[in-house]
């Protein structure tokens, strides 16, 4: 079984609550993924980074990829060749100062080393979409677009975290006919079908105080469970 | 109304003139251009001046972008070392010769153009460097058209023309959200089309002739045009102007000069 | 006059024929049938010879590569076992070295089909049907480049080879080469005008650390060859030290991972 988390956003208490919940599971956790947004506005990051890098008795070492806040922070520090425009437009002009306060500069190299995502078995695990960390996939995203994200990387499951909520969209019986005319060849007709595919929002651990959400996944059966953990937030 | 759509002229002035003559003979009333005015060929400035003097609505191609922004693609955007070396040679050659006002013109070109239910773009609506090949996964191809909201998407960049019709698309959808299992819904899409207009100046379909497309907005008919021209003149100019002679050899055979392998799903390791 | 030659008995087997007719291939067939020593020499070649490097890689057993200047040594070997001497197409058949009459000597011409009377017909006492059709014109130019230690990017090599064999650098009648590619393997490439190129992987140890030591090179015969363009395009297709070690490290880790799985 895999545990898939996203959006801790500096909320160490919430992360600890999730780890306790994982220990209560009867099935062994074979992999622990964190799909970005370790950084964020919910709390200071230093202690959290320490905790991530030193798993305790029996905990899995988390596999971490970059998220929206990691990307925006790197932009802010002059890496990534752009400006943190998305953060500014969504969270206002104070956001950079707020972030700067919570993130130690010493973690810059570590942030830069984070991968974009993971492709494991037939699963793609990313923060946003297979194209960008800031894509916010949701049940309202046009199904053709969702299918395209999966088809691009030839995956059957796409786990993402940008929306911050648990959801699942199943795409089945996808079909389409296509005809191609060229200068030299006779008309080529094709009928394409696609195997069942699924997009899963894994929830957010730290965004809502007192309520951590994450996802459990059984790769052998394809079963998905959204877990909600209540905890007492730090005063 | 009959419209003509051209792409990928690549500094080949002879080819452009032959195509302009051909579309006039076919009574095209309006012309659109999908970019790549410069790069590889010997007359980048003359081609841009011609397009501007005719007031042809034009989108920015991958080469136009690279000339303005500088080459900043990673090495893995070339499929081979040799293609990389040749591509860079052509880039430098063009970069040194292009007039400032030509550069300014290329810099302000839009990424796509809309006209009624038609959309015009160089590579794909999201990326000038993406190849919409005829064998691309049909669902992915459909997404490219749907994302524009248009019925027909005109593109270039692959240098080989084709028309692809996508129809009878359907997906069965089930959404679980906020703990509730939703109903199954079936999503269907109407007919959509991708028209790749080929290349005027650097054809890659195995013959030296220029290619472009004529489209009749009333009858919805697409015609792939192949136009002969004196390509030997361009070949001679390539050598005379100090471009790599192998470009002339490849032009005469309808082979691409230096391939690019830009792929948005590619994750660069280096 | 096509005879089935008994080529297993001791003696000198001198093999000639036009460019690309299949001389080395015929010798390869004879040597691979053989149980005893495999002895070969190429008198027309300079310091390095692609054909003998090819035979060395592809034959099971040890190939004895003769120093062809030493006639006494050749004769010594020829008294004990068959010795194959391959003559280049450009060699003047009239001025071959004279061997002692006590060594049995067979002159074999490997000729393409449809070749009318030629100097080979007069010279040879055995004719072997080779491959392809006769090219009316004898090549006027030969370009040989030693590429030992060079490692190619395969996509670039394919492109240069395509251009070379389709006339981009002059009219090529015959081209052959041994090339190392970045995944550590080495290949034999062979082209004769009018035919498709032939490719074969060589039985050499895979090189995933620094530069391979085995002979690598190219030989091109034809007319109006742009030798500078051939050389510079080949050079542009080779990896520099930095790229090479980067990719080799990747291939080494693939190799290590696939061993764990299997
Ligand atoms: Zn182009
Ligand atoms: Zn392009």
């Amino acid at each position: 079984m895999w545990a898939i988390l996203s959006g801790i956003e500096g909320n160490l208490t919430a992360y600890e609550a999730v780890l306790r919940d994982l220990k209560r599971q009867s099935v062994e956790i074979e992999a622990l993924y964190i799909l970005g947004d370790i950084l964020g506005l919910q709390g200071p990051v230093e202690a959290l980074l320490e905790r991530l890098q030193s798993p305790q008795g029996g905990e899995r070492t988390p596999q971490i990829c970059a998220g929206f806040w990691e990307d925006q922070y790197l932009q802010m520090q002059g890496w990534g060749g752009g400006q943190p425009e998305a953060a500014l437009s969504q969270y206002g002009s104070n956001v950079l100062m707020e972030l700067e306060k919570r993130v130690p500069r010493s973690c810059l190299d570590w942030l830069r080393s984070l991968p974009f995502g993971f492709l494991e078995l037939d699963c793609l695990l990313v923060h946003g979409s297979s194209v960008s960390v800031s894509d916010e996939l949701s049940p309202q995203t046009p199904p053709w677009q969702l299918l395209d994200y999966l088809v691009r990387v030839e995956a059957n499951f796409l786990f993402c975290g940008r929306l911050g909520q648990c959801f699942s969209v199943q795409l089945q019986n996808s079909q389409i006919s296509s005809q191609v005319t060229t200068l030299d060849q006779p008309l080529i007709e094709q009928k394409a079908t696609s195997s069942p595919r699924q997009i899963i929002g894994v929830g957010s651990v730290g965004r809502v105080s007192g309520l951590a959400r994450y996802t459990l996944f059984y790769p052998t059966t394809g079963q998905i469970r959204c877990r909600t953990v209540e905890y007492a937030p730090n005063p | 109304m009959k419209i003509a759509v051209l792409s990928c002229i690549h500094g080949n002035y002879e080819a452009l003139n032959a195509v302009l003559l051909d579309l006039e003979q076919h009574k095209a009333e309006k012309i659109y251009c999908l970019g790549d005015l410069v790069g590889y060929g010997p007359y980048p400035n003359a081609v841009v001046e011609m397009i501007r003097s005719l007031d042809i609505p034009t989108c920015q191609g991958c080469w136009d972008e690279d000339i303005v922004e500088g080459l900043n693609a990673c090495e893995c955007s070339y499929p081979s070392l040799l293609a990389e070396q040749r591509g860079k040679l052509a880039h430098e050659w063009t970069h040194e010769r292009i007039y400032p006002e030509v550069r300014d013109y290329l810099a302000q070109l839009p990424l796509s153009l809309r006209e009624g239910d038609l959309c015009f773009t160089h590579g794909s609506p999201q990326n000038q460097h993406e190849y919409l090949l005829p064998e691309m996964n049909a669902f992915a191809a459909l997404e490219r058209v749907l994302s524009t909201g248009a019925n027909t998407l005109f593109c270039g960049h692959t240098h080989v023309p084709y028309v692809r019709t996508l129809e009878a698309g359907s997906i069965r959808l089930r959404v679980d959200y906020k703990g509730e299992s939703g109903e199954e819904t079936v999503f269907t899409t109407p007919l959509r089309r991708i028209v790749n207009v080929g290349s005027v100046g650097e054809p890659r379909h195995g013959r030296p002739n220029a290619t472009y497309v004529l489209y009749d907005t009333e009858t919805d008919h697409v015609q792939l045009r192949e136009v002969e021209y004196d390509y030997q003149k361009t070949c001679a100019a390539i050598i005379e102007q100090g471009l790599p002679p192998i470009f002339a050899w490849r032009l005469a055979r309808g082979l691409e000069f230096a391939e690019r392998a830009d792929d948005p799903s590619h994750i660069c390791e280096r | 006059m096509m005879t089935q030659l008994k080529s297993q008995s001791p003696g000198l087997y001198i093999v000639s024929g036009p460019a690309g007719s299949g001389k080395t291939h015929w010798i390869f067939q004879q040597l691979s049938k053989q149980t005893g020593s495999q002895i070969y020499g190429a008198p027309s070649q300079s310091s390095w010879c692609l054909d003998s490097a090819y035979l060395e890689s592809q034959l099971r057993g040890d190939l004895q590569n003769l120093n062809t200047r030493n006639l006494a040594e050749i004769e010594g070997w020829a008294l004990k076992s068959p010795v194959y001497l391959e003559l280049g197409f450009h060699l003047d058949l009239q001025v071959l070295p004279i061997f002692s009459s006590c060594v049995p000597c067979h002159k074999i011409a490997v000729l393409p089909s449809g070749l009318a009377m030629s100097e080979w017909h007069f010279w040879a006492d055995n004719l072997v049907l080779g491959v392809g059709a006769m090219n009316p014109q004898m090549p006027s130019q030969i370009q040989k480049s030693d590429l030992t230690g060079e490692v190619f990017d395969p996509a670039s090599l394919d492109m240069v080879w395509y251009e070379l064999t389709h006339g981009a650098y002059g009219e090529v009648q015959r081209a052959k080469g041994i090339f190392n590619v970045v995944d550590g393997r080495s290949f034999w490439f062979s082209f004769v005008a009018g035919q498709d190129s032939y490719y074969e992987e060589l039985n050499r140890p895979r090189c995933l650390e620094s530069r391979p030591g085995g002979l690598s090179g190219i030989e091109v015969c034809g007319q109006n060859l742009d030798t500078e363009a051939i050389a510079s395009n080949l050079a542009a297709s080779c990896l520099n030290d930095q790229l090479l070690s980067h990719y080799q490290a990747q291939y080494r880790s693939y190799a290590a991972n696939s061993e764990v799985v299997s």
Side-chain angles (χ1 to χ4, degrees), chain C residues 52-60 63 178 202-204:
Chain C
S52 68
Y54 169 81
L55 290 171
E56 228 164 281
S57 302
Q58 300 313 79
L59 283 169
R60 259 170 278 162
L63 183 78
I178 291 177
L202 296 183
N203 293 319
R204 287 186 180 176

Side-chain angles (χ1 to χ4, degrees), chain A:
Chain A
M1 189 168 68
W2 298 356
I4 309 169
L5 288 56
S6 182
I8 303 173
E9 299 188 12
N11 190 337
L12 176 59
T13 320
Y15 180 57
E16 298 272 16
V18 168
L19 289 176
R20 280 196 301 277
D21 190 57
L22 286 177
K23 280 190 186 130
R24 285 196 293 270
Q25 300 302 317
S26 53
V27 184
E28 191 204 351
I29 305 293
E30 294 155 294
L32 172 58
Y33 289 101
I34 301 181
L35 311 185
D37 282 4
I38 303 282
L39 315 187
L41 304 177
Q42 306 306 322
V45 172
E46 208 150 4
L48 173 62
L49 290 180
E50 190 96 338
R51 183 69 182 84
L52 288 168
Q53 280 156 356
S54 46
Q56 297 160 8
E59 287 172 11
R60 290 274 155 190
T61 305
Q63 302 190 63
I64 304 169
C65 68
F68 173 81
W69 285 114
E70 283 77 34
D71 178 66
Q72 294 298 301
Y73 182 76
L74 286 176
Q75 305 269 16
M76 199 174 123
Q77 302 296 333
W79 297 95
Q83 291 293 316
E85 279 154 21
L88 287 170
S89 67
Q90 286 171 41
Y91 299 89
S93 52
N94 281 339
V95 66
L96 299 185
M97 234 174 57
E98 295 296 317
L99 194 62
E100 185 94 68
K101 261 199 291 192
R102 290 170 173 83
V103 182
R105 283 201 71 126
S106 56
C107 69
L108 202 60
D109 284 341
W110 179 76
L111 287 174
R112 287 182 58 216
S113 73
L114 292 178
F116 177 76
F118 305 99
L119 193 54
E120 194 65 47
L121 305 177
D122 58 347
C123 305
L124 178 74
L125 301 112
V126 289
H127 181 73
S129 74
S130 42
V131 174
S132 156
V133 282
S134 30
D135 280 342
E136 187 175 285
L137 304 189
S138 78
Q140 281 73 49
T141 309
W144 300 104
Q145 205 178 325
L146 294 177
L147 186 57
D148 175 55
Y149 287 133
L150 283 157
V151 165
R152 271 174 201 255
V153 291
E154 290 171 20
N156 289 326
F157 295 90
L158 190 164
F159 293 90
C160 56
R162 179 81 199 109
L163 183 67
Q165 292 177 25
C166 282
F167 70 89
S168 135
V169 179
Q170 290 173 48
L171 308 168
Q172 282 166 329
N173 289 71
S174 312
Q175 49 186 297
I176 188 166
S177 315
S178 140
Q179 294 178 342
V180 175
T181 314
T182 62
L183 277 176
D184 299 302
Q185 277 158 338
L187 187 78
I188 308 161
E189 298 207 40
Q190 307 167 304
K191 203 167 167 95
T193 55
S194 160
S195 56
R197 318 240 179 178
Q198 200 166 347
I199 291 88
I200 300 105
V202 301
S204 168
V205 171
R207 201 183 289 178
V208 179
S209 179
L211 214 61
R213 285 205 171 87
Y214 74 100
T215 295
L216 292 171
F217 175 60
Y218 300 81
T220 42
T221 61
Q223 199 197 336
I224 288 152
R225 267 169 53 205
C226 175
R227 296 281 305 162
T228 304
V229 185
E230 286 184 47
Y231 63 94
N234 269 357

Side-chain angles (χ1 to χ4, degrees), chain B residues 8 10 36 61-63 122-123 128-129 131 156-159:
Chain B
C8 298
H10 287 293
D36 274 5
C62 60
W63 270 88
H122 179 69
Q128 291 126 299
H129 292 265
Y131 289 96
H157 189 51
T158 72
H159 295 204

Side-chain angles (χ1 to χ4, degrees), chain B residues 75-76 78-86 244-247 249-250 253 255-259 269-270, chain C residues 153 155-156 159-160 162-163 166-169 232-234 236-240 242-243 246-247 250 254:
Chain B
E75 294 95 293
C76 35
Y78 291 96
S80 71
L81 287 175
L82 201 55
E84 181 181 347
Q85 192 216 38
R86 291 178 182 173
I246 193 73
F247 288 3
W249 186 83
R250 294 187 77 91
R253 279 155 192 82
L255 299 169
E256 198 171 24
F257 298 175
E259 279 177 76
E269 283 181 68
R270 301 192 62 240
Chain C
D153 155 46
S156 300
M159 188 138 107
V160 183
Y162 177 89
E163 289 169 354
H166 288 78
Y169 311 116
S232 68
N233 281 287
L234 282 169
S237 307
C238 293
L239 282 83
N240 62 26
Q242 190 201 346
L243 270 182
H246 169 80
Y247 284 113
Q250 273 186 9
Y254 292 153

